[in-house]
Amino acid sequence: MLQNRERIVLAASEAFRERGFDGVSVSEVMQRAGMTHGGFYGHFASKDALAAEVVTQALGLTVARWQKTLGEGGEGGLQRIVDAYLSTRHRDNPGSGCVVAALAGDVPRQAEPVRDAFAKEFETLVDTLVASMPGKGEAVRRELAIALLTQLVGTIMLARALGGGALSDEVLAAVSASLRRQGG
């Protein structure tokens, strides 16, 4: 039973990141999971409940991956996160990329449980970066972490909007170079 629920969450996570919450039906999620539409409500009360779980799980995985990278990487860990985030691979594969960049524009139109899950997990993502940021004092490091995270997300969103061509590549390269000069 738990295995089926996990299949549904994984299928929905990829589909939502590719086409947004409203661009994907419950029937499509269940088809991607290899299950029938009727089985959905045995696992979730609503599509909103599924969306909230997708956000929680996807951001939780990002937090875990970033914590590992920062823990193993010393000073270079943060740069590896920036490089991976601002890559053409990440830009070109939203279904397996960061849920923040893929769905931030959709979240305000979602039900409260989805918005709450997004805010809670985003806060955890910020907290993950704080310890690796330069500066004296928690407040300064938090400000820098928020600024870095919003630069990363905004850059990927814009690069995707530009369609992956030369200008999109230039945006990725420019922001990456700027952050490298700033030491971020």
Side-chain angles (χ1 to χ4, degrees):
M1 185 77 135
L2 184 59
Q3 206 171 30
N4 288 341
R5 184 181 178 94
E6 290 173 9
R7 284 178 31 212
I8 295 167
V9 171
L10 288 173
S13 183
E14 184 176 308
F16 289 159
R17 285 185 269 182
E18 288 171 355
R19 294 200 325 276
F21 294 115
D22 296 334
V24 179
S25 69
V26 168
S27 293
E28 181 183 347
V29 168
M30 294 304 284
Q31 184 178 10
R32 280 182 177 227
M35 301 166 70
T36 63
H37 181 252
F40 177 81
Y41 295 100
H43 298 280
F44 297 95
S46 65
K47 184 178 172 188
D48 291 336
L50 170 61
E53 187 161 329
V54 163
V55 166
T56 298
Q57 185 182 66
L59 278 169
L61 291 171
T62 299
V63 165
R65 191 171 51 254
W66 285 14
Q67 286 173 337
K68 182 178 179 190
T69 300
L70 293 169
E72 292 173 351
E75 292 181 16
L78 189 58
Q79 189 60 53
R80 281 198 304 285
I81 288 171
V82 169
D83 291 344
Y85 205 98
L86 297 180
S87 68
T88 55
R89 181 175 182 260
H90 183 214
R91 177 199 61 203
D92 297 343
N93 296 287
S96 60
C98 178
V99 73
V100 177
L103 295 172
D106 283 355
V107 169
R109 294 183 294 278
Q110 300 308 304
E112 188 174 349
V114 179
R115 294 190 314 265
D116 290 349
F118 188 88
K120 180 180 180 244
E121 298 304 323
F122 184 84
E123 179 79 27
T124 303
L125 196 56
V126 169
D127 291 344
T128 298
L129 291 175
V130 168
S132 298
M133 301 308 295
K136 295 181 181 177
E138 179 87 9
V140 170
R141 289 193 310 276
R142 181 174 171 80
E143 180 181 291
L144 290 171
I146 291 170
L148 174 62
L149 190 51
T150 57
Q151 283 179 291
L152 294 175
V153 170
T155 300
I156 283 296
M157 291 174 73
L158 184 56
R160 286 177 179 159
L162 293 171
L167 182 56
S168 177
D169 290 344
E170 188 176 4
V171 165
L172 290 175
V175 175
S176 182
S178 176
L179 288 172
R180 196 174 291 277
R181 279 193 301 279
Q182 293 173 30

